[in-house]
């Protein structure tokens, strides 16, 4: 669905552009006519998405990058600039779920460090990589994809929740620091999102823990939300489009839950 938010021609660097909600985010920006730099470790998964963009007449380059590596993130920004001459938008979708169903004391230090490094340090690295360009051109939009477990606590998800709470702090501080350069920094916080991670990891864990069917577990998740439905990748993508556009020019430092009514109600 094209929203016509006057994003045509904008250069958008997207991390985690191919898996789960990432593909929906990528295709939403492609539909708006953006020029895309698709960044991530698994280029085998990214290439088919880039091919879809090109087949529809869009522009997309694929850049291999481990976002937990500062130098690789800097290189991704440089390659984007070399290809397009500027960067207008950074969308940080890449992230992980961490251990599911473990208490804080059952979570190992390795598990904790891995998810915090991916979900927090990864975004920090990419934001640092693009900010000099944004500051010089006095224009930029940063959209971090967080999670509602970073807005409300969640038992069994301590490490993930910690990483997403931390990302909110990064977002808000960057927003204050980048604001004088006409750069907006915001966070989209999805609830459960329909897709492989939800169906293959979250739902089976709940079904096992409660001794119920996976379909009943999925229904229990949906029942937590005011709208009684789990979000889709497209729901998240639409929020990212809005915050990447000038329709949201006066919005910065916010957490926008896309969860059918759970975190904010």
């Amino acid at each position: 669905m094209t929203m016509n938010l006057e994003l045509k021609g904008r250069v958008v660097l997207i991390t985690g552009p191919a898996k789960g909600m990432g593909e929906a985010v990528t295709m939403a920006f492609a539909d708006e006519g953006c020029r895309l730099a698709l960044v991530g470790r698994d280029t085998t998964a990214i290439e088919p998405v880039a091919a879809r963009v090109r087949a529809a007449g869009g522009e997309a380059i694929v850049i291999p990058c481990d976002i937990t590596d500062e130098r690789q993130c800097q290189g991704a920004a440089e390659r984007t600039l070399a290809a397009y001459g500027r960067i207008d938008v950074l969308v940080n979708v890449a992230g992980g779920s961490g251990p599911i169903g473990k208490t804080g004391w059952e979570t190992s230090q390795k598990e904790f460090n891995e998810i915090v490094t991916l979900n927090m340090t990864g975004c920090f690295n990419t934001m640092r990589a693009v900010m000099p360009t944004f500051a010089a051109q006095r224009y930029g939009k940063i959209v971090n994809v967080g999670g509602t477990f970073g807005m409300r606590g969640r038992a069994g998800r301590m490490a993930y929740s910690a990483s997403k709470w931390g990302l909110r702090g990064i977002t808000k501080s960057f927003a204050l620091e980048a604001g004088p350069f006409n750069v907006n920094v915001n966070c989209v916080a999805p609830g459960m999102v329909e897709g492989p991670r939800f169906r293959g990891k979250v739902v089976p864990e709940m079904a096992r823990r409660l001794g119920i069917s996976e379909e009943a577990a999925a229904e229990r998740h949906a029942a937590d939300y005011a709208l009684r439905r789990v979000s889709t990748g497209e729901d998240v993508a639409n929020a990212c489009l809005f915050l990447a556009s000038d329709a949201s020019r006066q919005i910065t430092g916010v957490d926008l839950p896309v969860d059918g009514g759970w975190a904010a109600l």
Side-chain angles (χ1 to χ4, degrees), residues 6-261:
E6 298 183 354
L7 285 165
K8 186 174 182 179
R10 296 289 190 191
V11 176
V12 183
L13 191 160
I14 305 174
T15 72
K19 297 178 180 178
M21 72 185 85
E23 182 173 5
V25 170
T26 295
M27 297 313 300
F29 278 96
D31 288 344
E32 293 293 314
C34 298
R35 296 180 289 169
L36 306 180
L38 306 182
V39 174
R41 287 183 295 189
D42 189 358
T43 56
T44 301
I46 299 172
E47 286 289 358
V49 178
R52 279 184 61 197
V53 173
R54 297 181 195 118
E59 294 181 68
I61 60 172
V62 177
I63 302 175
C65 176
D66 178 349
I67 63 168
T68 67
D69 186 311
E70 178 184 16
R71 293 179 64 182
Q72 290 188 44
C73 291
Q74 186 61 47
E78 290 169 357
R79 286 187 59 179
T80 304
L81 286 168
Y84 295 125
R86 62 184 290 122
I87 306 171
D88 298 295
V89 179
L90 166 65
V91 185
N92 277 315
V93 184
S97 57
I100 294 176
K102 287 188 173 184
T103 62
W105 58 90
E106 292 169 332
T107 301
S108 70
Q109 186 179 69
K110 181 175 183 291
E111 289 172 321
F112 181 82
N113 288 342
E114 283 178 350
I115 198 62
V116 167
T117 297
L118 178 58
N119 288 353
M120 286 177 59
T121 308
C123 292
F124 167 70
N125 286 340
T126 57
M127 293 165 76
R128 285 190 73 241
V130 301
M131 266 308 301
T133 296
F134 286 178
Q137 66 196 21
R138 300 194 70 80
Y139 183 88
K141 308 281 186 178
I142 297 174
V143 182
N144 293 322
V145 177
T148 52
F149 293 174
M151 301 180 75
R152 288 177 59 180
R154 187 74 169 190
R157 300 299 303 278
M158 182 278 297
Y160 174 84
S161 294
S163 71
K164 295 302 186 179
W165 278 91
L167 181 58
R168 291 178 65 201
I170 290 171
T171 298
K172 293 178 186 300
S173 291
F174 258 86
L176 290 166
E177 295 160 355
F181 299 96
N182 191 37
V183 176
N184 302 66
V185 188
N186 291 295
C187 187
V188 171
M192 291 296 180
V193 177
E194 187 64 64
R197 185 184 295 173
F198 176 63
R199 291 290 174 175
K201 196 171 183 180
V202 175
V203 167
E205 190 281 329
M206 174 181 268
R208 177 196 57 76
R209 178 164 46 84
L210 298 180
I212 58 178
S213 69
E214 291 191 6
E215 190 55 40
E219 289 173 0
R220 285 186 69 139
H221 276 292
D224 279 346
Y225 305 140
L227 292 175
R228 299 298 190 270
R229 59 177 178 249
V230 173
S231 301
T232 67
E234 288 71 23
D235 294 324
V236 178
N238 288 338
C240 291
L241 287 177
F242 171 65
L243 291 175
S245 75
D246 286 336
S248 62
R249 64 181 291 273
Q250 203 63 7
I251 298 173
T252 198
V254 306
D255 309 296
L256 177 59
V258 182
D259 64 352

